[in-house]
Amino acid sequence: FTVCAYMPLFYWLESGLIRAGFPAAVAGRCISFAALCGLIFLCGRIALLYTGNRNAAWVASLAAASSSLLGSWGTTGQVDIPAAFFALMAFYQYSRYQVRGDSSLWIAGLFAALALFTKQTMLAAPAAIFLLLLIRDRKKALWFGVIFGASVGAAVLAINTALQGRFLANTLFANINPFSAAQFFT
């Protein structure tokens, strides 16, 4: 028995590559590297969307590509880079909605959910989208929050039920750091 401390999406993608014949270590690294390439690309797209300047887009992509932390984590098969990719894609889709008026808000919600189902701590993107919507359009923010929360909650409960309670036990309760007031004050 192994505790799978992260959400299932990374494991699911990795198992698909393993079934396709990739060695386990290579499969995880391929997923992380593809996500790293996507992050670099998205940095440029977001800069282009907000500035309209292709030079700024190239600089943003080059800045992301030159990050030693992203390069290190993007080649070791860790869950963080794919989760960050999905979160940044959610923000990009929200930005398309906000800047150009595209109907991509639902896509932003989908990618935010993918980020959460890759790593459960990826709450910044949906929270930021909700708060930015709240500033501009409260009704739309509430709809986004209710639909996003209900969808993610329903998926979590469905997976947890199918796995007889082990999903939340492994992904949430196994990761909780115990808090002790006595230890806090010593």
Side-chain angles (χ1 to χ4, degrees), residues 35-65 70 85 88-89 91-92 95-96 100:
L36 173 64
C37 293
L39 274 172
I40 293 166
F41 176 76
L42 278 175
C43 287
R45 296 299 298 173
I46 290 171
L48 182 62
L49 181 65
Y50 279 101
T51 66
N53 185 322
R54 293 204 180 276
N55 290 331
W58 276 105
V59 169
S61 291
L62 289 172
L70 288 179
F85 166 75
L88 192 61
M89 180 61 94
F91 182 74
Y92 172 67
S95 297
R96 285 183 51 219
R100 292 194 297 205

Coordinates of all heavy atoms in Angstrom, one line a residue, residues 35-65 70 85 88-89 91-92 95-96 100:
A35 N 4.8 20.2 -19.6 CA 4.2 21.2 -18.9 C 5.1 22.5 -18.8 O 4.7 23.6 -18.8 CB 3.8 20.8 -17.5
L36 N 6.4 22.2 -18.6 CA 7.4 23.3 -18.6 C 7.4 24.1 -19.9 O 7.3 25.3 -19.9 CB 8.8 22.8 -18.3 CG 9.9 23.8 -18.4 CD1 9.8 24.9 -17.4 CD2 11.3 23.1 -18.3
C37 N 7.4 23.4 -21.0 CA 7.3 24.0 -22.3 C 6.0 24.8 -22.4 O 6.0 25.9 -23.0 CB 7.4 23.0 -23.4 SG 9.0 22.2 -23.6
G38 N 4.9 24.3 -21.9 CA 3.6 25.0 -21.9 C 3.7 26.2 -21.1 O 3.1 27.3 -21.5
L39 N 4.3 26.2 -19.9 CA 4.5 27.3 -19.1 C 5.2 28.5 -19.8 O 4.9 29.6 -19.7 CB 5.2 27.0 -17.8 CG 4.4 26.4 -16.6 CD1 5.3 25.9 -15.5 CD2 3.4 27.5 -16.1
I40 N 6.3 28.1 -20.4 CA 7.1 29.1 -21.1 C 6.3 29.7 -22.2 O 6.3 31.0 -22.3 CB 8.4 28.4 -21.7 CG1 9.3 28.0 -20.5 CG2 9.1 29.4 -22.6 CD1 10.4 27.0 -20.9
F41 N 5.6 28.9 -23.0 CA 4.7 29.5 -24.0 C 3.6 30.4 -23.5 O 3.4 31.5 -24.0 CB 4.1 28.3 -24.8 CG 3.2 28.7 -25.9 CD1 3.6 29.2 -27.1 CD2 1.8 28.6 -25.6 CE1 2.7 29.6 -28.0 CE2 0.9 28.9 -26.6 CZ 1.3 29.5 -27.8
L42 N 3.0 29.9 -22.4 CA 1.9 30.7 -21.8 C 2.4 32.1 -21.2 O 1.6 33.1 -21.3 CB 1.2 29.9 -20.7 CG 0.2 28.9 -21.1 CD1 -0.3 28.2 -19.9 CD2 -1.0 29.6 -21.8
C43 N 3.6 32.1 -20.7 CA 4.1 33.4 -20.2 C 4.2 34.4 -21.3 O 3.8 35.6 -21.2 CB 5.5 33.2 -19.6 SG 5.4 32.4 -18.0
G44 N 4.6 34.0 -22.5 CA 4.6 34.8 -23.7 C 3.3 35.2 -24.1 O 3.0 36.4 -24.5
R45 N 2.3 34.3 -24.1 CA 0.9 34.6 -24.6 C 0.3 35.6 -23.6 O -0.5 36.5 -24.1 CB 0.1 33.3 -24.7 CG 0.6 32.3 -25.7 CD 0.6 32.8 -27.1 NE -0.8 33.1 -27.5 CZ -1.1 33.7 -28.6 NH1 -0.2 34.1 -29.5 NH2 -2.3 34.0 -28.9
I46 N 0.5 35.4 -22.3 CA -0.1 36.3 -21.4 C 0.4 37.7 -21.5 O -0.3 38.7 -21.5 CB 0.0 35.8 -19.9 CG1 -0.9 34.6 -19.8 CG2 -0.3 36.9 -18.9 CD1 -0.7 33.8 -18.5
A47 N 1.8 37.8 -21.7 CA 2.4 39.1 -21.9 C 1.9 39.8 -23.2 O 1.6 41.0 -23.2 CB 3.9 39.0 -21.9
L48 N 1.7 39.0 -24.3 CA 1.2 39.5 -25.5 C -0.2 40.0 -25.4 O -0.6 41.0 -25.9 CB 1.3 38.5 -26.6 CG 0.9 38.9 -28.0 CD1 1.7 40.0 -28.5 CD2 0.9 37.7 -29.0
L49 N -1.0 39.2 -24.7 CA -2.4 39.5 -24.5 C -2.6 40.9 -23.7 O -3.4 41.7 -24.1 CB -3.1 38.4 -23.7 CG -4.6 38.6 -23.4 CD1 -5.4 38.6 -24.7 CD2 -5.1 37.5 -22.5
Y50 N -1.8 41.1 -22.7 CA -1.9 42.3 -21.9 C -1.2 43.5 -22.5 O -1.6 44.6 -22.3 CB -1.5 42.1 -20.5 CG -2.5 41.4 -19.6 CD1 -2.4 40.0 -19.4 CD2 -3.6 42.1 -19.1 CE1 -3.4 39.4 -18.6 CE2 -4.5 41.5 -18.3 CZ -4.4 40.1 -18.1 OH -5.4 39.5 -17.3
T51 N -0.1 43.3 -23.2 CA 0.6 44.4 -23.7 C 0.4 44.7 -25.2 O 0.6 45.8 -25.7 CB 2.1 44.3 -23.5 OG1 2.6 43.1 -24.3 CG2 2.4 44.0 -22.0
G52 N 0.1 43.6 -26.0 CA 0.1 43.7 -27.4 C 1.4 43.9 -28.1 O 1.5 44.1 -29.3
N53 N 2.5 43.6 -27.3 CA 3.8 43.9 -27.8 C 4.6 42.5 -27.9 O 4.8 41.8 -26.9 CB 4.6 44.8 -26.8 CG 6.0 45.2 -27.2 OD1 6.7 44.4 -27.8 ND2 6.3 46.4 -26.9
R54 N 5.0 42.2 -29.1 CA 5.6 40.9 -29.3 C 7.0 40.8 -28.6 O 7.4 39.7 -28.2 CB 5.8 40.6 -30.8 CG 4.5 40.4 -31.5 CD 4.7 39.6 -32.8 NE 3.4 39.4 -33.4 CZ 2.5 38.4 -33.1 NH1 2.8 37.6 -32.2 NH2 1.4 38.2 -33.8
N55 N 7.7 41.9 -28.5 CA 9.0 41.9 -27.8 C 8.8 41.6 -26.3 O 9.5 40.8 -25.7 CB 9.7 43.3 -28.0 CG 10.2 43.5 -29.4 OD1 10.5 42.5 -30.1 ND2 10.2 44.8 -29.8
A56 N 7.7 42.1 -25.7 CA 7.4 41.8 -24.3 C 7.1 40.4 -24.2 O 7.5 39.7 -23.2 CB 6.3 42.7 -23.8
A57 N 6.4 39.8 -25.2 CA 6.0 38.4 -25.1 C 7.3 37.5 -25.2 O 7.4 36.5 -24.4 CB 5.1 38.0 -26.3
W58 N 8.2 37.9 -26.0 CA 9.5 37.1 -26.1 C 10.3 37.2 -24.8 O 10.8 36.2 -24.3 CB 10.3 37.6 -27.3 CG 9.9 36.9 -28.6 CD1 9.2 37.5 -29.6 CD2 10.2 35.6 -29.0 NE1 9.0 36.6 -30.6 CE2 9.6 35.4 -30.2 CE3 10.8 34.5 -28.4 CZ2 9.6 34.2 -30.9 CZ3 10.9 33.3 -29.1 CH2 10.3 33.2 -30.3
V59 N 10.3 38.4 -24.3 CA 11.1 38.6 -23.0 C 10.4 37.8 -21.9 O 11.1 37.2 -21.1 CB 11.1 40.1 -22.6 CG1 11.7 40.3 -21.2 CG2 12.0 40.8 -23.6
A60 N 9.1 37.8 -21.8 CA 8.4 37.0 -20.8 C 8.7 35.5 -21.0 O 9.0 34.8 -20.0 CB 6.9 37.2 -20.9
S61 N 8.7 35.0 -22.2 CA 9.0 33.6 -22.4 C 10.5 33.3 -22.1 O 10.7 32.2 -21.5 CB 8.7 33.2 -23.9 OG 7.4 33.2 -24.2
L62 N 11.4 34.2 -22.5 CA 12.8 33.9 -22.2 C 13.0 34.0 -20.7 O 13.9 33.2 -20.1 CB 13.6 35.0 -22.9 CG 13.8 34.7 -24.4 CD1 14.5 35.9 -25.1 CD2 14.4 33.4 -24.7
A63 N 12.4 34.9 -20.0 CA 12.5 35.0 -18.5 C 12.1 33.7 -17.8 O 12.7 33.2 -16.9 CB 11.8 36.2 -18.0
A64 N 10.9 33.2 -18.3 CA 10.4 31.9 -17.7 C 11.4 30.8 -18.1 O 11.7 29.9 -17.2 CB 9.0 31.6 -18.2
A65 N 11.9 30.8 -19.3 CA 12.8 29.7 -19.7 C 14.1 29.7 -19.0 O 14.8 28.7 -18.8 CB 13.0 29.8 -21.2
L70 N 12.3 26.5 -12.4 CA 11.4 25.8 -13.4 C 12.2 24.8 -14.2 O 11.6 23.7 -14.4 CB 10.8 26.9 -14.3 CG 9.8 27.8 -13.7 CD1 9.3 28.8 -14.8 CD2 8.6 27.0 -13.2
F85 N 1.2 24.7 -14.6 CA 0.8 24.9 -16.0 C -0.7 25.0 -16.1 O -1.3 25.9 -16.8 CB 1.3 23.7 -16.9 CG 0.6 23.7 -18.3 CD1 0.9 24.7 -19.2 CD2 -0.4 22.8 -18.6 CE1 0.3 24.7 -20.5 CE2 -1.0 22.8 -19.8 CZ -0.7 23.8 -20.7
L88 N -1.8 28.3 -14.6 CA -1.5 29.5 -15.5 C -2.4 29.5 -16.7 O -2.8 30.5 -17.2 CB -0.1 29.5 -15.9 CG 0.5 30.7 -16.5 CD1 0.3 31.9 -15.6 CD2 1.9 30.6 -17.0
M89 N -2.8 28.3 -17.2 CA -3.7 28.2 -18.3 C -5.1 28.7 -17.9 O -5.8 29.4 -18.7 CB -3.8 26.8 -18.8 CG -4.8 26.6 -20.0 SD -4.3 27.6 -21.5 CE -3.4 26.4 -22.4
F91 N -5.6 31.1 -15.7 CA -5.5 32.5 -15.6 C -5.5 33.1 -17.0 O -6.0 34.1 -17.3 CB -4.2 32.9 -14.9 CG -4.1 34.4 -14.8 CD1 -5.0 35.2 -13.9 CD2 -3.2 35.1 -15.5 CE1 -4.9 36.5 -13.9 CE2 -3.1 36.5 -15.5 CZ -3.9 37.2 -14.7
Y92 N -4.8 32.4 -18.0 CA -4.8 32.9 -19.4 C -6.2 32.9 -20.0 O -6.6 33.9 -20.6 CB -3.8 32.0 -20.2 CG -3.9 32.3 -21.7 CD1 -3.4 33.5 -22.2 CD2 -4.4 31.4 -22.6 CE1 -3.5 33.8 -23.5 CE2 -4.4 31.7 -23.9 CZ -4.0 32.9 -24.4 OH -4.0 33.2 -25.7
S95 N -8.0 35.7 -18.6 CA -7.5 36.9 -19.2 C -8.1 37.2 -20.5 O -8.4 38.3 -20.9 CB -6.0 36.9 -19.2 OG -5.4 36.9 -17.9
R96 N -8.2 36.1 -21.3 CA -8.9 36.2 -22.6 C -10.3 36.7 -22.5 O -10.8 37.6 -23.2 CB -8.9 34.9 -23.3 CG -7.6 34.4 -23.9 CD -7.7 33.1 -24.7 NE -8.7 33.2 -25.6 CZ -9.5 32.1 -25.9 NH1 -9.4 31.0 -25.3 NH2 -10.5 32.2 -26.8
R100 N -10.3 40.5 -24.0 CA -10.9 40.5 -25.3 C -12.4 40.2 -25.3 O -13.0 40.3 -26.4 CB -10.2 39.4 -26.2 CG -8.8 39.8 -26.5 CD -8.2 39.0 -27.6 NE -8.1 37.6 -27.2 CZ -7.3 36.7 -27.7 NH1 -6.4 37.1 -28.6 NH2 -7.3 35.4 -27.4

